[in-house]
Amino acid sequence: MKIELKRKARLLRTQGRSYKEILKEIPVSKSTINAWVKDIELSAAQKEKLYITNKQKNGERLGKLNKKKKEKEKEAISLLAKKEYSEKKNSILFNCGLMLYWAEGDKSTSTEAVKFSNSDPVMIKFMMTWFKDICEVEKNKFRIMLHIHELHNKEFLEKYWSNITGVPLTQFHKTQIKKSTLKFKKKPLYQGTCSIRIFNRNTFRKIMTWQKMFNKLINI
């Protein structure tokens, strides 16, 4: 019986089969398989095929582990956000900021980045307070991107929005300048659009959970 199993194991190995594949067909221990086939030298093509197959399987395994890890992280953040919502739901600052983010904030789950854009300096200043006091975002985590027209003074507006947000120019992304065929500004008071950006998945997930909790409260 064992002689037949050994012959079959050696045949499978010469075909370039892995130990794991051989064990599926032959009910013995891995050490026994190793003893039976260790003298068989695989060809370069067979080795490459086994290497690629193992790499793919390892990639799939790591992918599944990472997916489970992300799901656990999301679940933990969701539970924390629900607890925080219960604590903050009676705060005017909390609810006002949540509504403004609902209206003007980025809700894309593909990037999971917090982005809020507006041209009203008062609103931008308010949202900076909301992000710092309610979302507990540290000052060095903020990034700012400006969208202005060609007619604007770039340096002036960068300093202007830096003062409004309290974010240093070193944390500004490259200002986006839109070309214009006009020779003068239609809206003299328009100072461009300021986009507050926070690249933190957990902050984004908390805001989205708060939004769901609020929608549930008002039956939406």
Side-chain angles (χ1 to χ4, degrees):
M1 182 69 176
K2 268 198 171 183
I3 294 174
E4 288 301 318
L5 292 177
K6 183 177 180 179
R7 284 176 181 170
K8 186 176 180 181
R10 290 181 66 80
L11 176 62
L12 292 173
R13 187 60 174 174
T14 57
Q15 293 172 354
R17 304 285 282 276
S18 68
Y19 282 13
K20 193 172 183 179
E21 289 173 324
I22 296 171
L23 285 167
K24 285 181 180 178
E25 297 191 34
I26 301 175
V28 295
S29 67
K30 187 176 180 180
S31 60
T32 300
I33 294 293
N34 180 57
W36 286 349
V37 305
K38 64 181 179 180
D39 63 312
I40 298 174
E41 185 67 27
L42 299 179
S43 68
Q46 288 173 329
K47 288 179 181 178
E48 185 178 2
K49 184 179 178 182
L50 285 178
Y51 171 77
I52 293 171
T53 301
N54 288 334
K55 191 175 180 181
Q56 288 173 338
K57 287 180 179 178
N58 288 336
E60 289 172 2
R61 187 171 68 254
L62 286 173
K64 288 178 181 178
L65 289 173
N66 287 333
K67 186 178 180 181
K68 286 182 179 179
K69 184 180 177 183
K70 287 179 181 178
E71 287 173 353
K72 285 183 179 179
E73 288 176 353
K74 283 184 179 181
E75 186 178 348
I77 288 298
S78 178
L79 289 172
L80 176 61
K82 287 176 181 178
K83 181 176 180 294
E84 290 178 339
Y85 181 84
S86 298
E87 297 168 352
K88 300 173 189 287
K89 64 182 180 181
N90 295 322
S91 163
I92 294 176
L93 174 63
F94 174 74
N95 287 306
C96 287
L98 193 57
M99 292 303 93
L100 285 175
Y101 194 88
W102 188 12
E104 301 289 342
D106 191 333
K107 294 167 278 290
S108 173
T109 55
S110 60
T111 57
E112 291 191 311
V114 178
K115 297 178 185 177
F116 181 90
S117 302
N118 208 272
S119 59
D120 186 336
V122 177
M123 190 178 292
I124 290 295
K125 188 174 284 190
F126 175 86
M127 287 305 293
M128 284 296 300
T129 299
W130 190 75
F131 287 131
K132 285 186 283 189
D133 293 354
I134 298 298
C135 300
E136 299 179 352
V137 177
E138 297 177 6
K139 188 176 179 180
N140 64 346
K141 299 298 182 183
F142 287 99
R143 296 295 180 269
I144 301 295
M145 177 179 279
L146 303 182
H147 292 264
I148 65 176
H149 291 293
E150 207 171 26
L151 297 171
H152 284 118
N153 183 315
K154 175 177 171 290
E155 288 72 24
F156 170 80
L157 287 183
E158 286 175 345
K159 289 179 182 178
Y160 171 81
W161 285 110
S162 179
N163 289 331
I164 293 295
T165 60
V167 176
L169 292 174
T170 53
Q171 291 173 217
F172 274 51
H173 288 307
K174 183 179 179 181
T175 297
Q176 303 300 299
I177 303 173
K178 186 178 180 181
K179 291 188 176 183
S180 175
T181 56
L182 300 175
K183 294 184 178 180
F184 60 91
K185 293 191 289 183
K186 283 187 176 181
K187 300 177 182 179
L189 298 178
Y190 177 66
Q191 304 290 11
T193 299
C194 177
S195 178
I196 303 169
R197 300 179 173 205
I198 304 158
F199 297 98
N200 185 288
R201 290 175 181 168
N202 289 342
T203 301
F204 175 86
R205 290 168 182 171
K206 283 208 294 186
I207 294 172
M208 292 300 100
T209 301
W210 293 342
Q211 191 65 70
K212 288 178 182 177
M213 297 290 287
F214 181 83
N215 291 351
K216 188 177 181 180
L217 182 67
I218 58 177
N219 296 318
I220 291 180

